[in-house]
Amino acid sequence: FFFELFFVIIMTMFSVRISLNDLQVDPALLYSGSRGAKYAHVQRLLILNKSALMLLHPLEQFGLEPTAEHIDMVGSRETLQAALLDIRRVLSKPVWVSAPEDPKLLEVLQAKKKRFSTVCKCWLKCDWTTNQVMVYGLNRPVAIEFIDRVRTMLAQKPEPAEQQPQPQVQPQPKVQQVQQEIQEQFQDATQKMYELDTNPQV
């Protein structure tokens, strides 16, 4: 009985290899450089969401390779179909797109991109043409909360006050300095002579 049950379970499992070329991948996720694999960002996004996908869909195996152009999955027919549906949804379009943002927000998010991926298990994409932020993945609420915290931090950060330039005292040329000293000495002598005239000694 146990052997028959085990045989039935094994026979209901299917192993599939899906080419990423057959999926409708958003062009924003494709790597355009010459030194990396075309689907490097796609594989990275799927690796970030692997635990969530296997939690949602009880796959026996979910094979991902950073430079591969395919994914491998093992599971029942229904599980494979449901998992593939979510994978298509994750790769085809962003789960969230912001309104045009302050470029400072994009700069901070770009600097925190690795931290964003680690915390949110999502992929962040900044569109510098439209100043919009795009998020790919399954954990939409956590991603939005992360971005809102950064936006609030920037709003509370005081702008540095502009310092007024201090007037610089130009050093007097040596000739002018000597003339000023002579004039001061002449004024002192004149003052003493005036005092002698007004207060003659007996």
Side-chain angles (χ1 to χ4, degrees):
F1 174 77
F2 176 78
F3 176 77
E4 291 180 354
L5 179 61
F6 179 77
F7 181 76
V8 171
I9 293 175
I10 292 297
M11 290 301 293
T12 57
M13 293 295 170
F14 296 88
S15 176
V16 295
R17 169 166 289 185
I18 301 171
S19 173
L20 295 175
N21 292 314
D22 296 333
L23 302 178
Q24 296 178 347
V25 178
D26 191 328
L29 291 174
L30 300 179
Y31 184 76
S32 57
S34 58
R35 296 184 179 181
K38 177 181 179 182
Y39 292 107
H41 294 164
V42 174
Q43 290 284 4
R44 173 63 176 163
L45 174 59
L46 291 175
I47 290 172
L48 288 171
N49 288 270
K50 180 177 179 178
S51 298
L53 284 168
M54 295 192 72
L55 185 64
L56 291 171
H57 312 289
L59 295 166
E60 292 296 318
Q61 294 181 21
F62 189 16
L64 301 168
E65 298 179 16
T67 59
E69 296 190 0
H70 62 269
I71 56 177
D72 296 320
M73 295 190 296
V74 176
S76 66
R77 184 189 301 273
E78 294 77 11
T79 299
L80 291 174
Q81 290 176 344
L84 184 57
L85 186 64
D86 270 343
I87 291 173
R88 289 180 182 275
R89 182 165 58 87
V90 168
L91 300 181
S92 62
K93 61 182 180 180
V95 69
W96 181 78
V97 180
S98 74
E101 299 280 1
D102 187 336
K104 291 182 180 179
L105 176 65
L106 273 67
E107 292 175 2
V108 175
L109 288 175
Q110 187 68 26
K112 294 178 176 290
K113 190 172 182 178
K114 186 175 181 179
R115 174 69 177 167
F116 176 88
S117 297
T118 302
V119 173
C120 305
K121 306 300 181 184
C122 293
W123 184 261
L124 180 78
K125 177 73 175 180
C126 294
D127 190 332
W128 300 97
T129 304
T130 61
N131 288 334
Q132 289 178 292
V133 179
M134 296 176 289
V135 175
Y136 296 83
L138 293 171
N139 208 346
R140 180 177 182 270
V142 177
I144 295 177
E145 182 182 356
F146 186 101
I147 295 171
D148 284 341
R149 286 203 307 268
V150 176
R151 188 186 290 110
T152 302
M153 177 191 70
L154 288 175
Q156 294 177 347
K157 186 176 180 181
E159 294 291 337
E162 296 184 0
Q163 296 183 352
Q164 297 295 333
Q166 297 294 332
Q168 297 182 354
V169 179
Q170 297 293 335
Q172 294 182 350
K174 189 172 182 179
V175 176
Q176 293 182 1
Q177 187 175 357
V178 172
Q179 291 177 349
Q180 185 175 354
E181 291 177 355
I182 294 174
Q183 186 176 359
E184 291 176 354
Q185 293 175 1
F186 177 77
Q187 290 177 351
D188 291 342
T190 303
Q191 180 67 24
K192 290 180 179 180
M193 291 177 63
Y194 174 77
E195 292 175 355
L196 290 175
D197 291 340
T198 55
N199 300 299
Q201 296 181 358
V202 180

